[in-house]
Amino acid sequence: MTNSISTSDTPIRVRIAPSPTGDPHVGTAYIGLINYLYARQRNGKFVLRIEDTDRARFVATSEQEIFNSLRWLGLTWDEGPDLGGPYGPYRQSERTEIYREHVELLLANGTAYRSFETPEELEALRQRQIAAKLPPRYDGAHRELSQALIDAYLAEGRPYTVRLKVPAGDPAFTEFRDELRGVIRFEHSNVDDQVLMKSDGFPTYHLANVVDDHLMHITDVIRAEEWISSTPKHVLLYNAFGWAIPRFWHMPLLRNLDKSKISKRKNPVSLIYYRQAGFLPEAMINFLGLMGGGMPAPTADSTPAQPATKAPNKPSETDIFTLPDMVARFDVKNIRLGGPVFDLTKLKWLNGEYIRALTPEKFYAALRETILSDAYLQQIAPLVQTRIETLGEFGNLTHFLFADDIMAPAEVFVPKNAPQRKPSPSPPSNSPSSKQPTGPTKPSNPPSSN
């Protein structure tokens, strides 16, 4: 196992690297918060990098929404696409030449190779493996092509990918240390020769991630546990380049109440949704700080941040703390590996505590920034103007547009194997509900961001 970056004299640098493929995800904020706290507690740097090489799923407005949502929560960064910094550019789409140069280094030292198979040939291989009940993976057929054959294929202009050559022989495994789990080992028989550069000349996530982390001097990679299975590929890349390996911290995934991975089917996952639905940023960042158990229990000489009203049969007031409180007391080593539950009931309780602590002026301002904003009212007004005879009727026709529908429907909490209830019949076409104007609704659950 290659030595990791020094823990004593190396300035701490961490990063988050969301993809602009949809609305910013609560998971991005959760991982962003832990990175932010880790850096601030150690006088380090918190870097925002945009991983936008997936052009098929790219959403033009998503990058700015990521900026807006993280700043809404108070998670400010030190370097990024909008701020610049000493190790930019901070968008992967602006770094493609850097990746190509590094692929050439791997080809030159023999730790990578060109693979000239066509998509049809790779699909045929996959189908043969499935038929043989083998796990689909690349079989390394082009690992040892002769230089003469490689030159011939290149002269023909045949497209190719570049793959990492997973070491053969002893040791037949790659291991790394996870700071929360200890040493993790992966047998090379379970790690295939990953694609580093696609046939269109764009890097894969694995190559760009490792090259960027190294060139940006990232000392600690703090990310979700779903990336554990990719880490041996990253470690092999660090070794292929001859680079020091950063420390890895893999955080437990946010979970639904049924312990499944949080998803838009069972919970709203967009930060934009929560902002527009009237959740306060202080409550949301407080709630995310509760995930995983990084905050210690209060001591006799520490008092929780206001508000601190305890509700019977509700979470304790000791669950309420601010972002500065977290900087002072949060300890990433206290994170529990059991998946933290994204409990909307608790989030709403927390939000209510913060709302009740607002002054009347700030409460009114919060309403005007969200559900009573000019932008929202301007969407609604034309829909009811032709249906009312007095302005007082406005509320009668629009109340459903201001209803609180943040909670998921009850059926999502029913165990998967439980008998399903028959849906209620639809109201007849002449029912009162069918006469309500069709108009803007509160933001729907959008596609999740990486």
Side-chain angles (χ1 to χ4, degrees), residues 50-95:
I50 297 296
E51 298 193 343
D52 60 346
T53 55
D54 187 350
R55 306 311 288 180
R57 299 174 59 216
F58 175 77
V59 177
T61 58
S62 182
E63 180 182 295
Q64 188 59 51
E65 291 294 354
I66 291 170
F67 296 165
N68 295 344
S69 295
L70 292 176
R71 287 196 172 105
W72 175 66
L73 292 171
L75 301 179
T76 56
W77 49 97
D78 303 297
E79 302 168 25
D82 56 335
L83 299 179
Y87 304 113
Y90 293 89
R91 293 184 186 89
Q92 285 188 341
S93 60
E94 299 171 0
R95 300 172 61 86

